[in-house]
Amino acid sequence: MIARAGAGPLRRLVVLRHAKSAWPVGVPDHERPLAPRGRRDAPAAGRALVDADCLPDLAVCSTAVRARQTWELASAQWGTPPLVHHDARVYAADVPELLDVVREVPDHVRTLLLVGHNPGLEELVLDLAGDALDDALDEVRTKFPTSAIACLSWHGETWASLAPGTALLTDMTVARGKREA
C-alpha cells in the first residue's frame, strides 16, 4: 500500500517506546522504573531526535513510571522541552485507543511525540504507515525494541484526519547509550 498525499500542512508523529525497564520484585507493572540500560538509552533517544531534526511541539506520554522517566531523560537533552501531557490512556493502549489520543491533539501542533509501550506503539506505526523510506517498515515489522523511535510524516488539516495507511514512515532507529568505562 502506498501512502496517499493529503491536503494540509506537513505533520509528524514521532513514536518513542520507553527505554529498558527494571523488574523489581513486588512492584506493579505501572510503577516499574527504568533499568540502568534504560537510564543510558533514554538520553540517547533525546539526542537522536535532535540529530534527526525531529523535536516535538507537544509530547503525550504514558503515566507509567518507565515512560515518564524516558520522557524526562530524553527531553533533558533539548534546550527547551515542549509541553508534555501525561495521559493514562497511553498505558497498555491498543491502536484505536492510541488513535483517539492522537486525534485529540490541537491543530496548531505540527510535530507530536508519543511516548508509550508495546505492542500498541508498534501496531500503531504499522497501521499508519502506507509506505516507508528505505527498509524502515521491515525494521518495525522485525522488532520495535525499547528506545525505538519511529517518525511518520503526513499531510492533514487536523490530527483528527489521520487515518490508517496515510503516513510515510521516514525513519526508524533504536537509541542506545554508551556504558561508562
Side-chain angles (χ1 to χ4, degrees), residues 9-75:
L10 178 67
R11 296 182 187 277
R12 296 183 299 180
L13 174 60
V14 181
V15 176
L16 170 59
R17 184 175 174 201
H18 66 78
K20 185 73 173 172
S21 59
W23 292 85
V25 175
V27 174
D29 184 72
H30 189 272
E31 304 307 312
R32 290 191 297 118
L34 291 179
R37 188 179 101 195
R39 297 193 69 73
R40 290 190 307 269
D41 292 349
R47 291 188 297 274
L49 291 172
V50 170
D51 293 345
D53 192 27
C54 211
L55 294 181
D57 304 316
L58 174 70
V60 176
C61 182
S62 163
T63 55
V65 169
R66 60 193 179 274
R68 291 192 330 253
Q69 290 177 334
T70 298
W71 160 253
E72 290 164 5
L73 292 167
S75 65

Side-chain angles (χ1 to χ4, degrees), residues 87-111:
D87 193 322
R89 296 176 296 170
V90 177
Y91 176 70
D94 60 14
V95 171
E97 291 167 314
L98 291 169
L99 276 173
D100 286 346
V101 170
V102 170
R103 288 175 175 154
E104 292 172 6
V105 170
D107 296 337
H108 70 272
V109 172
R110 295 290 191 243
T111 301

Side-chain angles (χ1 to χ4, degrees), residues 130-163:
D131 202 359
L133 298 180
D134 302 320
D135 58 352
L137 204 49
D138 290 334
E139 290 179 42
V140 174
R141 283 185 187 116
T142 300
K143 188 172 185 183
F144 198 69
T146 56
S147 300
I149 303 166
C151 299
L152 296 146
S153 295
W154 62 286
H155 288 273
E157 291 295 337
T158 67
W159 286 94
S161 65
L162 181 57

